[in-house]
Amino acid sequence: MHYKFWEKMLLYLKYLIQLLLAPSDGWQDVADSAPSPAELTRRGFLPLLGVVAVSELCGLLYNKGLGFDVQIIRGVIDFGACFVALYVAGIVFDVFLGGVSATSDSAEVRRKGQTLAVMALGEMALIRLVCNLLQAEITILRFLPLYVVLILYKAAPYAGVRADSVMRFTAVAALATVVTPELIHYLLTVILL
């Protein structure tokens, strides 16, 4: 049983790395294997969020003025922002993808929308993990979410988006999976810290 858990987690990380290195080929691999979005969420995305939340504790090494309690709250904010964004993105894709998709199979469109949300938010979580581990103000790290937008653009063939709707799809997908977690993260930071 534990072997299957690690196998699924490593498979999810493999997909994320493939999407980072070669987005078109990565989406093709996701399409070929047709993973279950629920499995990706349960065995890949949520453990990754746990690692991201724990990585906030690296701030204790770098920020001597911030206490343990602040780092725990920051970890909860990281987890909560991506967790809520997953469901917001899922709803947005459920509503939006049916109108721009070339296929009429609603179950397939819904599955692909959920997979898109899990993968794009996984990329955002990886970016947050790198930022937490480095704890340095490196300007290029602030622009990495723009690369997630490129990954979403390359996802249009995977999602079955009609050629005339690719830019609309990219804009809505970016709002749902890039802007939403950042906005929720900002709001939770303002409220809790």
Side-chain angles (χ1 to χ4, degrees):
M1 179 168 158
H2 296 292
Y3 174 72
K4 288 289 184 188
F5 173 80
W6 291 109
E7 183 180 292
K8 296 288 184 179
M9 176 68 178
L10 291 175
L11 181 65
Y12 179 68
L13 290 174
K14 180 186 117 183
Y15 289 145
L16 292 180
I17 291 169
Q18 282 180 316
L19 288 172
L20 279 174
L21 298 177
S24 296
D25 295 337
W27 285 116
Q28 186 60 46
D29 288 344
V30 171
D32 291 343
S33 61
S36 162
E39 277 291 306
L40 288 176
T41 302
R42 189 172 48 255
R43 305 272 173 110
F45 182 67
L46 293 177
L48 178 61
L49 286 186
V51 170
V52 170
V54 169
S55 73
E56 278 290 349
L57 294 176
C58 288
L60 292 172
L61 301 172
Y62 300 109
N63 301 327
K64 300 295 185 197
L66 296 178
F68 183 74
D69 56 339
V70 173
Q71 298 300 333
I72 293 294
I73 292 171
R74 290 172 85 175
V76 169
I77 289 171
D78 284 352
F79 189 94
C82 286
F83 186 77
V84 171
L86 176 65
Y87 290 100
V88 170
I91 291 168
V92 168
F93 283 134
D94 281 350
V95 170
F96 179 73
L97 270 183
V100 297
S101 180
T103 182
S104 61
D105 184 7
S106 62
E108 183 68 13
V109 170
R110 187 172 197 287
R111 186 186 67 74
K112 287 184 175 184
Q114 296 297 323
T115 303
L116 272 168
V118 170
M119 297 310 244
L121 287 167
E123 297 293 350
M124 292 297 290
L126 281 178
I127 291 169
R128 176 110 21 224
L129 178 65
V130 169
C131 290
N132 288 347
L133 293 176
L134 291 180
Q135 292 286 326
E137 290 300 321
I138 301 172
T139 306
I140 192 72
L141 294 178
R142 301 290 175 213
F143 290 100
L144 284 177
L146 293 177
Y147 190 70
V148 177
V149 175
L150 173 69
I151 292 171
L152 289 168
Y153 174 76
K154 295 291 188 173
Y158 166 76
V161 176
R162 293 187 311 268
D164 62 336
S165 302
V166 171
M167 293 312 287
R168 263 187 26 211
F169 162 77
T170 304
V172 170
L175 284 173
T177 59
V178 176
V179 175
T180 300
E182 294 297 326
L183 181 64
I184 293 170
H185 190 274
Y186 173 76
L187 291 175
L188 288 175
T189 301
V190 168
I191 292 168
L192 297 175
L193 293 178

